């Protein structure tokens, strides 16, 4: 192996090692913090039954949360509503809609995660009011089939997602 290849391997190894170290230090400093983990709650029984290995599956509206391009091959207008009763009386409401338009499919979804009010305690253990927590996520996107590769084509898609958390 020549010197250039050895240097490239060494630099790659250092970058990989430093990246995993930075990730580990971030994880340890972020205990108790989540980045909208509620967006990972399953909204599809079909995807859950497949162990969430759903990225390459398409053809219906359930693909929205896994891969927006999966909706491209859906020829019909579809809508879905999901209600999930989750742990500690939390709940998730999810609504999604897709319809053929503009040579492909347009789609949108709205998700609302709610945590029931719980009592806030001060340093002495006395109640000092209640806390309400909720997440709201909105998604809008477009997908279509490009017939440049073969007769089946290539499904492409993209989406814009907006999520907000309210703590009151």
């Amino acid at each position: 192996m020549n010197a250039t290849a050895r240097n490239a391997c060494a630099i790659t190894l250092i970058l990989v090692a430093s990246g995993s170290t930075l990730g580990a230090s971030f994880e340890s400093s972020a205990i108790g913090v989540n980045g909208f983990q509620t967006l990972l709650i399953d909204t599809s029984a079909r995807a859950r039954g497949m162990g969430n290995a759903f990225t390459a599956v398409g053809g219906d509206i359930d693909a929205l949360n896994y891969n927006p391009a999966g909706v491209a091959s859906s020829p019909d207008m579809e809508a879905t509503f999901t209600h999930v009763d989750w742990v500690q009386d939390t709940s998730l409401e999810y609504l999604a809609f897709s319809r053929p338009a503009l040579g492909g499919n347009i789609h949108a979804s709205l998700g609302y995660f709610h945590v029931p009010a719980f009592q806030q305690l001060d340093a002495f253990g006395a109640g000092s009011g209640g806390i309400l927590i909720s997440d709201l996520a909105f998604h809008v996107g477009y997908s279509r089939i490009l017939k440049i590769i073969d007769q089946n084509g290539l499904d492409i898609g993209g989406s814009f997602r907006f999520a907000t958390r309210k703590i009151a």
Side-chain angles (χ1 to χ4, degrees), residues 9 12 24 29 38 45 49 58 71 94 98 110 148 160:
C9 287
T12 303
S29 67
T38 55
V71 182
Y94 175 76
S98 171
L110 182 66
I148 57 173
F160 170 77

Side-chain angles (χ1 to χ4, degrees), residues 40-54 66 86:
L40 300 177
I41 298 173
D42 297 318
T43 58
S44 164
R46 181 177 174 209
R48 180 68 175 162
M50 295 175 64
N52 288 334
F54 205 69
Y66 302 91
W86 216 44

Side-chain angles (χ1 to χ4, degrees), residues 5 33 49 51 64 77 104 107 109 120 125 133 136 145 150 160 166:
V33 176
L64 276 182
M77 183 169 55
H107 37 84
S109 68
Q120 180 179 7
I133 301 172
L136 180 67
I145 300 173
D150 60 17
F160 170 77
K166 180 180 177 183

Side-chain angles (χ1 to χ4, degrees), residues 141-163:
Y142 176 76
S143 57
R144 70 176 298 160
I145 300 173
L146 290 180
K147 299 211 183 231
I148 57 173
I149 294 180
D150 60 17
Q151 290 292 51
N152 294 328
L154 173 68
D155 293 1
I156 63 167
S159 64
F160 170 77
R161 292 183 185 266
F162 174 77

Side-chain angles (χ1 to χ4, degrees), residues 39-98:
L39 295 175
L40 300 177
I41 298 173
D42 297 318
T43 58
S44 164
R46 181 177 174 209
R48 180 68 175 162
M50 295 175 64
N52 288 334
F54 205 69
T55 304
V57 177
D60 67 7
I61 198 164
D62 289 332
L64 276 182
N65 282 340
Y66 302 91
N67 181 2
V71 182
S73 57
S74 176
D76 302 316
M77 183 169 55
E78 295 183 75
T80 186
F81 175 75
T82 303
H83 168 77
V84 178
D85 281 328
W86 216 44
V87 297
Q88 296 289 336
D89 294 329
T90 59
S91 64
L92 173 72
E93 314 301 331
Y94 175 76
L95 176 66
F97 175 78
S98 171

